[in-house]
Amino acid sequence: MTFKTTAAVEETKAEVCALHAELLRWGLVTWTSGNVSGRVPGTDIVVIKPSGVSYDDLRPELMVVTDLDGKVLDGDLSPSSDAESHSYVYRHMPEVGGVVHTHSPYATAWAARAEPIPCVLTAMADEFGGEIPLGPFALIGSDDIGRGIVQTLEGHRSPAVIMQNHGVFTIGKGPKAAVKAAVMCEDVARTVHISRQLGEPVPIAPQHVDALYDRYQNVYGQQPAPEEK
Ligand SMILES: [Zn+2]
């Protein structure tokens, strides 16, 4: 078992490592919880955070390289305990190039109530194309979490799912897009939560959600926008 690294693998290790700082910066993680993974573009190789290493000590060379079954191909440390869930998503959603998991507090508060986050903000229509859906309760240590993520997100516009009693999983074309979805998920979870303290938030009509989503995904930003989605 000799794994020959490539420039693309090393680039993905550097990118995935650096993106963990964003989880801290946006207040999405505590201690060593939370993780980012990325698919090496065009391959069946995944780079993921090692288990139990504190954020300050993460370095690109400590990232763990796995195949799509979560088997370690390269790296001295064991992968994140969520690696199986990540690899299940990559196996079943070939368009996904990045996965993020957090227990960010406001979104996880919705998960604790087993309640999807209703689409009551234009920012939600833009980024998520509707509500942020709720995934099933699932125990750690089997395929159940991965299966729940895939079943909930397949055919859904949202790149984020809140897993019941657990926390947030997000997907993206690459790891940076998945991190962005995790940041936006927590942001809208907080705003809708605050709104609910004062009354019942007003839903956005479905045709307006569609129009907002279409504009944001296809028109918004600098054109042409090579920005990773
Ligand atoms: Zn978790």
Side-chain angles (χ1 to χ4, degrees), residues 4-26:
K4 280 248 187 300
T5 192
T6 64
V9 170
E10 295 304 313
E11 269 170 39
T12 307
K13 283 161 76 172
E15 184 185 13
V16 167
C17 180
L19 283 167
H20 283 89
E22 298 294 313
L23 303 187
L24 276 185
R25 186 154 80 96
W26 295 97

Side-chain angles (χ1 to χ4, degrees), residues 95-142:
E95 72 281 13
V96 169
V99 177
V100 170
H101 175 49
T102 79
H103 301 157
S104 64
Y106 281 92
T108 302
W110 288 85
R113 290 197 308 270
E115 197 178 349
I117 307 173
C119 187
V120 294
L121 301 168
T122 58
M124 290 188 71
D126 287 347
E127 175 73 23
F128 303 99
E131 68 168 19
I132 298 177
L134 176 77
F137 177 81
L139 288 175
I140 294 166
S142 71

Side-chain angles (χ1 to χ4, degrees), residues 14 33-34 53 57-58 110-111 135 179 185 193 199 203 213 223-224:
S33 80
V53 175
D57 296 333
L58 288 180
W110 288 85
V179 169
C185 177
H193 173 82
Y213 182 73
Q223 298 295 329

Side-chain angles (χ1 to χ4, degrees), residues 9-73:
V9 170
E10 295 304 313
E11 269 170 39
T12 307
K13 283 161 76 172
E15 184 185 13
V16 167
C17 180
L19 283 167
H20 283 89
E22 298 294 313
L23 303 187
L24 276 185
R25 186 154 80 96
W26 295 97
L28 306 187
V29 292
T30 304
W31 201 237
T32 63
S33 80
N35 38 70
V36 179
S37 70
R39 189 196 295 265
V40 179
T43 72
D44 287 345
I45 297 171
V46 169
V47 171
I48 190 165
K49 176 177 175 277
S51 181
V53 175
S54 79
Y55 281 86
D56 287 344
D57 296 333
L58 288 180
R59 295 193 309 280
E61 59 269 30
L62 297 182
M63 298 297 113
V64 183
V65 181
T66 75
D67 64 14
L68 291 194
D69 293 316
K71 187 174 143 255
V72 174
L73 300 174

